[in-house]
Amino acid sequence: FEWSGVNRVDWDVRFEELRKYKAKHGDCLVPRKFAENPQLRKWVVQQRVLYKRLCSGVSSMNEERIGLLNSLGFEWSIVNRVDWD
């Protein structure tokens, strides 16, 4: 048995899915119950977690990925968003 990523999707694949989501919906705010691609929602949440950890000094997030997500208008904090579900 190998844990090295049988079900793991490459970061670039999810980024491309997010790019397509933004093209269709106009933002990067994947809703909690996104039936088309629930894994994308989980990935978006994970990017925010990794970013927060980076700010604390421990994370696998890097400047290149931050730049790519920023290029899409990614919102790193959604705490005060009323119009988001």
Side-chain angles (χ1 to χ4, degrees):
F1 183 76
E2 186 177 303
W3 288 98
S4 66
V6 174
N7 294 321
R8 194 169 131 189
V9 175
D10 187 63
W11 193 94
D12 294 330
V13 172
R14 289 285 185 240
F15 179 79
E16 182 61 21
E17 291 172 352
L18 182 61
R19 188 191 65 72
K20 290 177 182 176
Y21 176 91
K22 181 178 181 182
K24 183 176 181 180
H25 300 280
D27 60 45
C28 295
L29 299 171
V30 181
R32 281 183 213 138
K33 296 177 182 177
F34 185 54
E36 283 181 52
N37 188 345
Q39 294 303 315
L40 179 59
R41 164 63 183 174
K42 291 178 185 176
W43 182 84
V44 164
V45 168
Q46 183 64 19
Q47 299 317 295
R48 290 189 180 105
V49 168
L50 291 172
Y51 182 77
K52 286 178 187 175
R53 288 183 185 162
L54 178 66
C55 294
S56 300
V58 181
S59 177
S60 61
M61 179 63 73
N62 61 48
E63 294 299 323
E64 179 185 8
R65 289 180 175 178
I66 291 169
L68 288 168
L69 290 166
N70 282 340
S71 75
L72 294 180
F74 191 82
E75 293 191 39
W76 295 103
S77 177
I78 55 165
V79 175
N80 296 322
R81 293 285 306 221
V82 175
D83 60 338
W84 182 76
D85 185 318

Coordinates of all heavy atoms in Angstrom, one line a residue:
F1 N 0.8 -1.2 0.0 CA 0.0 0.0 0.0 C 0.9 1.2 0.0 O 1.8 1.3 0.8 CB -0.9 0.0 1.2 CG -1.8 1.1 1.3 CD1 -3.0 1.2 0.5 CD2 -1.6 2.2 2.1 CE1 -3.8 2.2 0.5 CE2 -2.5 3.3 2.1 CZ -3.6 3.3 1.3
E2 N 0.5 2.2 -0.8 CA 1.3 3.4 -0.9 C 0.5 4.7 -0.6 O -0.6 4.8 -1.2 CB 1.9 3.5 -2.3 CG 2.9 4.6 -2.5 CD 3.5 4.6 -3.9 OE1 4.1 3.6 -4.2 OE2 3.4 5.6 -4.6
W3 N 1.0 5.6 0.2 CA 0.3 6.8 0.6 C 0.7 8.0 -0.3 O 0.3 9.1 -0.1 CB 0.6 7.2 2.0 CG 0.0 6.3 3.0 CD1 0.5 5.2 3.7 CD2 -1.4 6.3 3.5 NE1 -0.4 4.6 4.5 CE2 -1.6 5.3 4.4 CE3 -2.5 7.2 3.2 CZ2 -2.8 5.1 5.1 CZ3 -3.7 7.0 3.9 CH2 -3.8 5.9 4.8
S4 N 1.5 7.8 -1.3 CA 2.2 8.9 -2.0 C 1.3 9.6 -2.9 O 1.8 10.4 -3.8 CB 3.4 8.4 -2.7 OG 3.0 7.5 -3.7
G5 N 0.0 9.5 -2.9 CA -0.9 10.3 -3.7 C -1.8 9.6 -4.7 O -2.1 10.1 -5.7
V6 N -2.3 8.4 -4.3 CA -3.2 7.7 -5.2 C -4.4 8.6 -5.6 O -4.8 8.7 -6.7 CB -3.6 6.4 -4.6 CG1 -4.7 5.7 -5.4 CG2 -2.4 5.5 -4.4
N7 N -4.9 9.3 -4.6 CA -6.1 10.2 -4.8 C -5.7 11.7 -4.8 O -6.6 12.5 -4.8 CB -7.1 9.9 -3.7 CG -7.7 8.5 -3.8 OD1 -8.0 8.0 -4.9 ND2 -7.9 7.9 -2.7
R8 N -4.5 12.0 -4.8 CA -4.0 13.3 -4.7 C -4.0 14.0 -6.1 O -3.5 13.4 -7.0 CB -2.6 13.4 -4.1 CG -2.2 14.7 -3.7 CD -0.9 14.6 -2.9 NE 0.1 15.5 -3.5 CZ 1.3 15.5 -3.1 NH1 1.8 14.6 -2.3 NH2 2.1 16.4 -3.6
V9 N -4.6 15.1 -6.2 CA -4.7 15.8 -7.5 C -3.6 16.9 -7.5 O -3.4 17.6 -6.5 CB -6.1 16.5 -7.7 CG1 -6.1 17.3 -8.9 CG2 -7.1 15.4 -7.7
D10 N -2.9 17.0 -8.6 CA -1.9 18.0 -8.7 C -2.4 19.4 -8.5 O -3.5 19.8 -8.9 CB -1.3 17.8 -10.1 CG 0.0 18.7 -10.3 OD1 0.9 18.5 -9.6 OD2 -0.1 19.6 -11.2
W11 N -1.6 20.3 -7.8 CA -2.0 21.7 -7.6 C -2.3 22.4 -8.8 O -3.3 23.1 -8.9 CB -0.8 22.4 -6.9 CG -1.2 23.7 -6.2 CD1 -1.6 23.9 -5.0 CD2 -1.2 25.0 -6.9 NE1 -1.8 25.2 -4.8 CE2 -1.6 25.9 -5.9 CE3 -0.9 25.4 -8.2 CZ2 -1.7 27.3 -6.2 CZ3 -1.0 26.8 -8.5 CH2 -1.4 27.7 -7.5
D12 N -1.6 22.2 -9.9 CA -1.9 22.8 -11.2 C -3.2 22.5 -11.7 O -3.9 23.3 -12.4 CB -0.8 22.5 -12.2 CG 0.6 23.1 -11.8 OD1 0.6 24.1 -11.1 OD2 1.6 22.5 -12.1
V13 N -3.7 21.2 -11.5 CA -5.0 20.8 -12.0 C -6.1 21.6 -11.3 O -7.0 22.1 -11.9 CB -5.2 19.3 -11.8 CG1 -6.6 18.9 -12.1 CG2 -4.2 18.5 -12.7
R14 N -6.0 21.7 -9.9 CA -7.0 22.5 -9.2 C -6.9 23.9 -9.5 O -8.0 24.6 -9.6 CB -6.8 22.3 -7.7 CG -7.1 20.9 -7.2 CD -8.7 20.7 -7.1 NE -8.9 19.4 -6.5 CZ -9.6 18.4 -7.2 NH1 -10.0 18.6 -8.4 NH2 -9.7 17.3 -6.5
F15 N -5.7 24.5 -9.7 CA -5.6 25.9 -10.1 C -6.3 26.1 -11.4 O -7.1 27.1 -11.6 CB -4.2 26.3 -10.2 CG -4.0 27.7 -10.7 CD1 -4.2 28.8 -9.8 CD2 -3.7 28.0 -12.0 CE1 -4.0 30.1 -10.2 CE2 -3.6 29.4 -12.4 CZ -3.7 30.4 -11.5
E16 N -6.2 25.2 -12.4 CA -6.9 25.3 -13.7 C -8.4 25.2 -13.5 O -9.1 26.0 -14.1 CB -6.4 24.3 -14.7 CG -7.0 24.3 -16.0 CD -6.7 25.6 -16.8 OE1 -5.8 26.4 -16.4 OE2 -7.5 26.0 -17.7
E17 N -8.8 24.4 -12.6 CA -10.3 24.3 -12.3 C -10.8 25.6 -11.7 O -11.9 26.1 -12.1 CB -10.6 23.1 -11.4 CG -10.3 21.8 -12.0 CD -10.4 20.6 -11.0 OE1 -10.5 20.9 -9.8 OE2 -10.4 19.5 -11.4
L18 N -10.0 26.2 -10.8 CA -10.3 27.5 -10.3 C -10.4 28.6 -11.3 O -11.3 29.4 -11.3 CB -9.4 27.9 -9.1 CG -9.7 29.2 -8.4 CD1 -11.1 29.1 -7.7 CD2 -8.6 29.5 -7.4
R19 N -9.4 28.6 -12.2 CA -9.4 29.5 -13.3 C -10.7 29.4 -14.2 O -11.3 30.5 -14.5 CB -8.2 29.3 -14.2 CG -8.0 30.5 -15.2 CD -6.9 30.1 -16.2 NE -7.3 28.9 -17.1 CZ -8.2 28.9 -18.0 NH1 -8.9 30.0 -18.3 NH2 -8.5 27.9 -18.7
K20 N -11.1 28.2 -14.5 CA -12.3 28.0 -15.2 C -13.5 28.5 -14.4 O -14.5 29.0 -15.0 CB -12.4 26.6 -15.6 CG -11.4 26.2 -16.7 CD -11.5 24.7 -17.0 CE -10.5 24.3 -18.1 NZ -10.5 22.9 -18.3
Y21 N -13.5 28.2 -13.1 CA -14.6 28.6 -12.2 C -14.7 30.1 -12.3 O -15.8 30.6 -12.4 CB -14.4 28.1 -10.8 CG -15.4 28.6 -9.8 CD1 -16.6 27.9 -9.6 CD2 -15.3 29.9 -9.2 CE1 -17.6 28.3 -8.7 CE2 -16.3 30.3 -8.4 CZ -17.4 29.6 -8.1 OH -18.4 30.0 -7.3
K22 N -13.6 30.8 -12.2 CA -13.7 32.3 -12.2 C -14.2 32.8 -13.5 O -14.9 33.7 -13.6 CB -12.3 32.9 -11.9 CG -12.4 34.4 -11.9 CD -11.2 35.1 -11.6 CE -11.5 36.6 -11.6 NZ -10.4 37.4 -11.4
A23 N -13.7 32.2 -14.6 CA -14.2 32.6 -16.0 C -15.7 32.5 -16.1 O -16.4 33.3 -16.7 CB -13.5 31.8 -17.0
K24 N -16.3 31.4 -15.4 CA -17.7 31.2 -15.5 C -18.5 32.0 -14.5 O -19.6 32.6 -14.8 CB -18.0 29.7 -15.3 CG -19.4 29.3 -15.4 CD -19.6 27.8 -15.2 CE -21.1 27.4 -15.3 NZ -21.2 26.0 -15.2
H25 N -18.0 32.2 -13.3 CA -18.7 32.8 -12.2 C -18.3 34.3 -11.9 O -18.9 34.9 -11.1 CB -18.7 32.0 -11.0 CG -19.2 30.6 -11.2 ND1 -20.6 30.3 -11.1 CD2 -18.6 29.4 -11.4 CE1 -20.8 29.1 -11.4 NE2 -19.6 28.5 -11.5
G26 N -17.1 34.7 -12.3 CA -16.6 36.0 -12.1 C -15.8 36.2 -10.8 O -15.5 37.4 -10.5
D27 N -15.7 35.2 -10.0 CA -14.9 35.3 -8.8 C -14.3 34.0 -8.4 O -14.5 33.0 -9.1 CB -15.8 35.9 -7.6 CG -16.9 34.9 -7.3 OD1 -16.7 33.7 -7.3 OD2 -18.1 35.4 -7.2
C28 N -13.5 34.0 -7.3 CA -12.9 32.7 -6.9 C -13.6 32.2 -5.6 O -13.0 31.4 -4.9 CB -11.4 33.0 -6.6 SG -10.5 33.4 -8.1
L29 N -14.8 32.6 -5.3 CA -15.5 32.3 -4.1 C -16.3 31.0 -4.3 O -17.6 31.1 -4.5 CB -16.4 33.5 -3.7 CG -15.6 34.7 -3.3 CD1 -16.6 35.9 -3.1 CD2 -14.7 34.5 -2.1
V30 N -15.7 29.9 -4.4 CA -16.4 28.6 -4.6 C -17.3 28.4 -3.4 O -16.8 28.3 -2.2 CB -15.3 27.5 -4.8 CG1 -16.1 26.2 -5.0 CG2 -14.4 27.8 -5.9
P31 N -18.6 28.2 -3.6 CA -19.5 28.0 -2.5 C -19.3 26.7 -1.7 O -18.8 25.7 -2.3 CB -20.9 28.1 -3.1 CG -20.7 27.8 -4.6 CD -19.3 28.2 -4.9
R32 N -19.8 26.7 -0.5 CA -19.6 25.5 0.3 C -20.2 24.2 -0.3 O -19.6 23.2 -0.3 CB -20.3 25.7 1.7 CG -19.5 26.5 2.6 CD -20.3 26.6 3.9 NE -19.9 27.9 4.5 CZ -20.7 28.7 5.0 NH1 -21.9 28.4 5.2 NH2 -20.3 29.9 5.5
K33 N -21.3 24.4 -1.0 CA -22.0 23.2 -1.6 C -21.9 23.3 -3.1 O -23.0 23.5 -3.8 CB -23.4 23.1 -1.1 CG -23.5 22.9 0.4 CD -24.9 22.9 0.9 CE -24.9 22.6 2.4 NZ -26.3 22.7 3.0
F34 N -20.8 23.2 -3.6 CA -20.5 23.4 -5.1 C -20.6 22.0 -5.7 O -19.6 21.2 -5.7 CB -19.2 24.0 -5.4 CG -18.9 24.3 -6.8 CD1 -19.8 25.0 -7.6 CD2 -17.8 23.9 -7.4 CE1 -19.6 25.3 -8.9 CE2 -17.5 24.1 -8.7 CZ -18.4 24.8 -9.5
A35 N -21.8 21.6 -6.1 CA -22.1 20.2 -6.6 C -21.2 19.8 -7.8 O -20.9 18.7 -7.9 CB -23.5 20.1 -6.9
E36 N -20.9 20.8 -8.6 CA -20.1 20.5 -9.8 C -18.7 19.9 -9.5 O -18.2 19.1 -10.2 CB -19.9 21.7 -10.7 CG -21.1 22.1 -11.5 CD -20.8 23.4 -12.3 OE1 -19.8 23.4 -13.0 OE2 -21.6 24.3 -12.2
N37 N -18.1 20.4 -8.4 CA -16.8 20.0 -8.1 C -16.5 20.3 -6.6 O -15.9 21.2 -6.2 CB -15.8 20.8 -9.0 CG -14.4 20.3 -8.8 OD1 -14.0 19.6 -7.9 ND2 -13.5 20.7 -9.7
P38 N -17.0 19.4 -5.7 CA -16.8 19.6 -4.3 C -15.3 19.6 -3.9 O -15.0 20.3 -2.9 CB -17.6 18.4 -3.6 CG -18.1 17.6 -4.7 CD -17.8 18.2 -6.0
Q39 N -14.5 18.9 -4.6 CA -13.1 18.9 -4.3 C -12.4 20.3 -4.5 O -11.5 20.6 -3.8 CB -12.4 17.8 -5.2 CG -12.8 16.4 -4.8 CD -12.6 16.1 -3.3 OE1 -11.5 16.4 -2.8 NE2 -13.6 15.5 -2.7
L40 N -13.0 21.0 -5.5 CA -12.4 22.4 -5.7 C -12.7 23.2 -4.5 O -11.8 24.0 -4.0 CB -13.0 23.0 -7.0 CG -12.6 24.4 -7.3 CD1 -11.1 24.5 -7.5 CD2 -13.3 25.0 -8.5
R41 N -13.8 23.1 -3.9 CA -14.1 23.9 -2.7 C -13.1 23.5 -1.6 O -12.6 24.4 -0.9 CB -15.6 23.6 -2.2 CG -15.9 24.0 -0.8 CD -15.8 25.5 -0.6 NE -16.1 25.7 0.8 CZ -16.0 26.9 1.4 NH1 -15.6 27.9 0.7 NH2 -16.2 27.0 2.6
K42 N -12.9 22.3 -1.4 CA -11.9 21.8 -0.4 C -10.6 22.4 -0.6 O -9.9 22.8 0.3 CB -11.9 20.3 -0.3 CG -13.2 19.7 0.3 CD -13.1 18.2 0.2 CE -14.4 17.6 0.7 NZ -14.4 16.1 0.6
W43 N -10.2 22.4 -1.9 CA -8.8 22.8 -2.3 C -8.7 24.4 -2.0 O -7.7 24.8 -1.5 CB -8.6 22.5 -3.7 CG -7.2 23.0 -4.2 CD1 -6.1 22.3 -4.1 CD2 -6.9 24.2 -4.9 NE1 -5.1 23.0 -4.7 CE2 -5.5 24.1 -5.2 CE3 -7.7 25.3 -5.3 CZ2 -4.9 25.2 -5.9 CZ3 -7.0 26.3 -6.0 CH2 -5.7 26.2 -6.3
V44 N -9.7 25.1 -2.3 CA -9.7 26.6 -2.1 C -9.6 26.8 -0.6 O -8.8 27.7 -0.2 CB -11.0 27.2 -2.7 CG1 -11.2 28.6 -2.1 CG2 -10.9 27.3 -4.2
V45 N -10.3 26.1 0.2 CA -10.2 26.3 1.7 C -8.8 26.0 2.1 O -8.2 26.7 2.9 CB -11.3 25.4 2.4 CG1 -11.0 25.3 3.9 CG2 -12.7 25.9 2.1
Q46 N -8.2 24.9 1.6 CA -6.9 24.5 2.0 C -5.9 25.5 1.6 O -4.9 25.8 2.3 CB -6.5 23.1 1.3 CG -5.2 22.6 1.7 CD -5.1 22.3 3.2 OE1 -6.1 22.1 3.9 NE2 -3.9 22.2 3.7
Q47 N -6.1 26.2 0.5 CA -5.1 27.3 0.1 C -5.1 28.4 1.1 O -4.1 29.0 1.5 CB -5.4 27.8 -1.3 CG -5.3 26.8 -2.4 CD -4.1 25.9 -2.3 OE1 -3.0 26.3 -2.4 NE2 -4.4 24.6 -2.1
R48 N -6.3 28.7 1.6 CA -6.4 29.8 2.6 C -5.7 29.4 3.9 O -5.0 30.1 4.6 CB -7.9 30.1 2.9 CG -8.5 30.9 1.7 CD -9.9 31.4 2.0 NE -10.4 32.1 0.8 CZ -11.3 31.6 0.0 NH1 -11.9 30.4 0.3 NH2 -11.7 32.2 -1.0
V49 N -5.9 28.1 4.3 CA -5.3 27.6 5.5 C -3.7 27.6 5.3 O -3.0 28.1 6.3 CB -5.7 26.1 5.8 CG1 -4.9 25.4 6.8 CG2 -7.2 26.1 6.2
L50 N -3.2 27.2 4.2 CA -1.8 27.2 4.0 C -1.2 28.6 4.0 O -0.1 28.8 4.5 CB -1.5 26.5 2.6 CG -1.7 25.0 2.6 CD1 -1.5 24.4 1.2 CD2 -0.8 24.3 3.6
Y51 N -2.0 29.5 3.4 CA -1.6 30.9 3.4 C -1.5 31.5 4.9 O -0.5 32.1 5.2 CB -2.5 31.8 2.6 CG -2.1 33.2 2.5 CD1 -1.1 33.6 1.7 CD2 -2.8 34.2 3.3 CE1 -0.7 34.9 1.6 CE2 -2.4 35.5 3.2 CZ -1.4 35.9 2.3 OH -1.0 37.2 2.2
K52 N -2.5 31.2 5.7 CA -2.4 31.6 7.1 C -1.2 31.0 7.8 O -0.6 31.7 8.6 CB -3.7 31.2 7.8 CG -4.9 32.1 7.4 CD -6.2 31.7 8.1 CE -7.4 32.4 7.6 NZ -8.6 32.0 8.2
R53 N -1.0 29.7 7.5 CA 0.2 29.1 8.1 C 1.5 29.7 7.7 O 2.4 29.8 8.5 CB 0.2 27.6 7.8 CG -0.8 26.8 8.6 CD -0.8 25.4 8.3 NE -1.8 24.6 8.9 CZ -2.2 23.4 8.5 NH1 -1.6 22.8 7.6 NH2 -3.2 22.8 9.1
L54 N 1.5 30.1 6.4 CA 2.7 30.8 5.9 C 3.0 32.1 6.7 O 4.1 32.4 7.0 CB 2.6 31.1 4.4 CG 3.8 31.8 3.7 CD1 5.0 30.9 3.7 CD2 3.4 32.2 2.3
C55 N 1.9 32.8 6.9 CA 2.1 34.0 7.7 C 2.6 33.8 9.1 O 3.2 34.6 9.7 CB 0.7 34.8 7.7 SG 0.2 35.3 6.1
S56 N 2.4 32.6 9.6 CA 2.9 32.2 10.9 C 4.2 31.5 10.8 O 4.8 31.2 11.8 CB 1.9 31.2 11.6 OG 0.6 31.7 11.7
G57 N 4.7 31.3 9.6 CA 6.0 30.7 9.4 C 6.2 29.3 9.0 O 7.2 28.8 8.7
V58 N 5.1 28.5 9.0 CA 5.1 27.1 8.7 C 4.1 26.7 7.7 O 2.9 26.7 8.0 CB 4.9 26.2 10.0 CG1 5.0 24.8 9.6 CG2 5.9 26.6 11.0
S59 N 4.5 26.5 6.4 CA 3.5 26.1 5.4 C 4.2 25.6 4.1 O 5.4 26.0 3.9 CB 2.7 27.4 5.0 OG 1.8 27.1 3.9
S60 N 3.5 24.8 3.3 CA 4.0 24.4 2.0 C 3.7 25.4 0.9 O 4.0 25.2 -0.2 CB 3.5 23.0 1.7 OG 2.1 23.1 1.6
M61 N 2.9 26.4 1.3 CA 2.6 27.5 0.4 C 3.8 28.2 0.0 O 4.7 28.4 0.8 CB 1.6 28.5 1.0 CG 1.1 29.6 0.1 SD 0.3 29.2 -1.4 CE -1.3 28.7 -0.8
N62 N 3.9 28.7 -1.3 CA 5.1 29.4 -1.7 C 4.7 30.7 -2.5 O 3.5 30.8 -2.9 CB 6.1 28.5 -2.5 CG 5.4 28.0 -3.8 OD1 4.8 28.8 -4.5 ND2 5.6 26.7 -4.0
E63 N 5.6 31.6 -2.7 CA 5.4 32.8 -3.4 C 4.8 32.7 -4.8 O 4.0 33.4 -5.2 CB 6.6 33.7 -3.4 CG 7.1 34.1 -2.0 CD 6.1 35.0 -1.3 OE1 5.4 35.8 -1.9 OE2 6.0 34.8 0.0
E64 N 5.3 31.7 -5.5 CA 4.8 31.4 -6.9 C 3.3 31.1 -6.8 O 2.6 31.7 -7.6 CB 5.6 30.3 -7.5 CG 5.1 30.0 -8.9 CD 5.8 28.8 -9.5 OE1 6.5 28.0 -8.9 OE2 5.5 28.5 -10.7
R65 N 2.9 30.2 -6.0 CA 1.5 29.9 -5.9 C 0.6 31.0 -5.4 O -0.5 31.3 -5.9 CB 1.3 28.7 -5.0 CG 1.8 27.4 -5.6 CD 1.7 26.2 -4.7 NE 2.1 25.0 -5.4 CZ 2.1 23.8 -4.9 NH1 1.7 23.6 -3.6 NH2 2.5 22.8 -5.6
I66 N 1.2 31.8 -4.5 CA 0.5 33.0 -4.0 C 0.3 33.9 -5.2 O -0.8 34.5 -5.4 CB 1.2 33.7 -2.9 CG1 1.2 32.8 -1.6 CG2 0.7 35.1 -2.6 CD1 2.1 33.3 -0.5
G67 N 1.3 34.1 -6.0 CA 1.2 35.0 -7.2 C 0.2 34.5 -8.2 O -0.6 35.3 -8.7
L68 N 0.2 33.2 -8.4 CA -0.8 32.7 -9.4 C -2.2 32.9 -8.9 O -3.1 33.3 -9.6 CB -0.5 31.2 -9.6 CG 0.7 30.9 -10.4 CD1 1.1 29.4 -10.3 CD2 0.5 31.3 -11.9
L69 N -2.5 32.6 -7.6 CA -3.8 32.8 -7.0 C -4.2 34.3 -7.0 O -5.3 34.6 -7.4 CB -3.9 32.2 -5.6 CG -3.8 30.7 -5.6 CD1 -3.6 30.2 -4.2 CD2 -5.1 30.1 -6.2
N70 N -3.2 35.1 -6.7 CA -3.5 36.6 -6.7 C -3.9 37.0 -8.1 O -4.7 37.9 -8.3 CB -2.3 37.4 -6.2 CG -2.2 37.3 -4.7 OD1 -3.2 37.1 -4.0 ND2 -1.0 37.6 -4.2
S71 N -3.2 36.4 -9.1 CA -3.5 36.8 -10.5 C -5.0 36.5 -10.9 O -5.5 37.2 -11.8 CB -2.6 36.1 -11.5 OG -3.0 34.7 -11.7
L72 N -5.6 35.6 -10.2 CA -7.1 35.4 -10.4 C -8.0 36.2 -9.5 O -9.2 36.2 -9.7 CB -7.4 33.9 -10.1 CG -6.8 32.8 -11.0 CD1 -7.2 31.5 -10.5 CD2 -7.2 33.0 -12.4
G73 N -7.4 37.0 -8.7 CA -8.2 37.8 -7.7 C -8.6 37.0 -6.5 O -9.7 37.3 -5.9
F74 N -7.9 36.0 -6.2 CA -8.2 35.1 -5.0 C -8.3 35.9 -3.8 O -7.5 36.8 -3.5 CB -7.1 34.1 -4.9 CG -7.4 33.0 -3.9 CD1 -8.2 31.9 -4.4 CD2 -6.9 33.0 -2.6 CE1 -8.4 30.8 -3.5 CE2 -7.2 31.9 -1.8 CZ -8.0 30.9 -2.2
E75 N -9.4 35.7 -3.0 CA -9.6 36.3 -1.7 C -9.1 35.5 -0.6 O -9.6 34.4 -0.4 CB -11.1 36.7 -1.5 CG -11.5 37.7 -2.6 CD -12.9 38.2 -2.2 OE1 -13.2 38.5 -1.0 OE2 -13.7 38.4 -3.2
W76 N -8.1 35.9 0.1 CA -7.4 35.1 1.1 C -8.2 35.1 2.4 O -8.1 34.1 3.2 CB -6.0 35.7 1.4 CG -5.1 35.5 0.2 CD1 -4.8 36.5 -0.7 CD2 -4.6 34.3 -0.3 NE1 -4.0 36.0 -1.7 CE2 -3.8 34.6 -1.5 CE3 -4.6 33.0 0.2 CZ2 -3.1 33.7 -2.2 CZ3 -3.9 32.0 -0.6 CH2 -3.2 32.4 -1.7
S77 N -9.1 36.1 2.6 CA -9.9 36.1 3.8 C -11.3 36.4 3.4 O -11.6 37.3 2.7 CB -9.4 37.1 4.8 OG -10.3 37.2 5.9
I78 N -12.2 35.5 3.9 CA -13.6 35.7 3.5 C -14.5 35.9 4.7 O -15.7 35.8 4.6 CB -14.1 34.5 2.6 CG1 -13.9 33.2 3.3 CG2 -13.5 34.6 1.3 CD1 -14.7 32.1 2.8
V79 N -13.9 36.1 5.9 CA -14.6 36.2 7.1 C -15.8 37.2 7.1 O -16.9 36.9 7.6 CB -13.6 36.6 8.3 CG1 -14.4 36.7 9.6 CG2 -12.6 35.5 8.4
N80 N -15.6 38.3 6.6 CA -16.6 39.4 6.6 C -17.5 39.5 5.3 O -18.2 40.4 5.1 CB -16.0 40.7 6.9 CG -15.3 40.8 8.2 OD1 -15.9 40.2 9.2 ND2 -14.2 41.4 8.3
R81 N -17.4 38.4 4.5 CA -18.2 38.5 3.3 C -19.7 38.1 3.6 O -19.9 37.0 4.0 CB -17.7 37.5 2.2 CG -16.3 37.8 1.7 CD -16.4 39.0 0.7 NE -17.3 38.7 -0.3 CZ -17.1 39.0 -1.6 NH1 -16.0 39.5 -2.0 NH2 -18.0 38.7 -2.5
V82 N -20.6 39.0 3.3 CA -22.0 38.7 3.5 C -22.6 38.0 2.3 O -23.5 37.1 2.5 CB -22.8 40.0 3.8 CG1 -24.3 39.7 3.9 CG2 -22.2 40.7 5.1
D83 N -22.2 38.3 1.1 CA -22.8 37.8 -0.1 C -22.2 36.4 -0.5 O -22.4 36.0 -1.6 CB -22.6 38.8 -1.2 CG -21.1 39.1 -1.5 OD1 -20.3 38.9 -0.6 OD2 -20.8 39.6 -2.6
W84 N -21.5 35.8 0.3 CA -20.8 34.5 0.0 C -21.4 33.4 0.7 O -21.7 33.5 1.9 CB -19.3 34.6 0.2 CG -18.6 33.4 -0.2 CD1 -18.2 33.0 -1.4 CD2 -18.0 32.4 0.7 NE1 -17.5 31.9 -1.4 CE2 -17.4 31.5 -0.1 CE3 -18.0 32.2 2.1 CZ2 -16.8 30.4 0.4 CZ3 -17.4 31.1 2.6 CH2 -16.8 30.2 1.8
D85 N -21.6 32.2 0.1 CA -22.1 31.1 0.8 C -21.1 29.9 0.6 O -20.9 29.3 -0.4 CB -23.5 30.7 0.2 CG -24.1 29.5 1.0 OD1 -23.3 28.6 1.3 OD2 -25.3 29.6 1.2

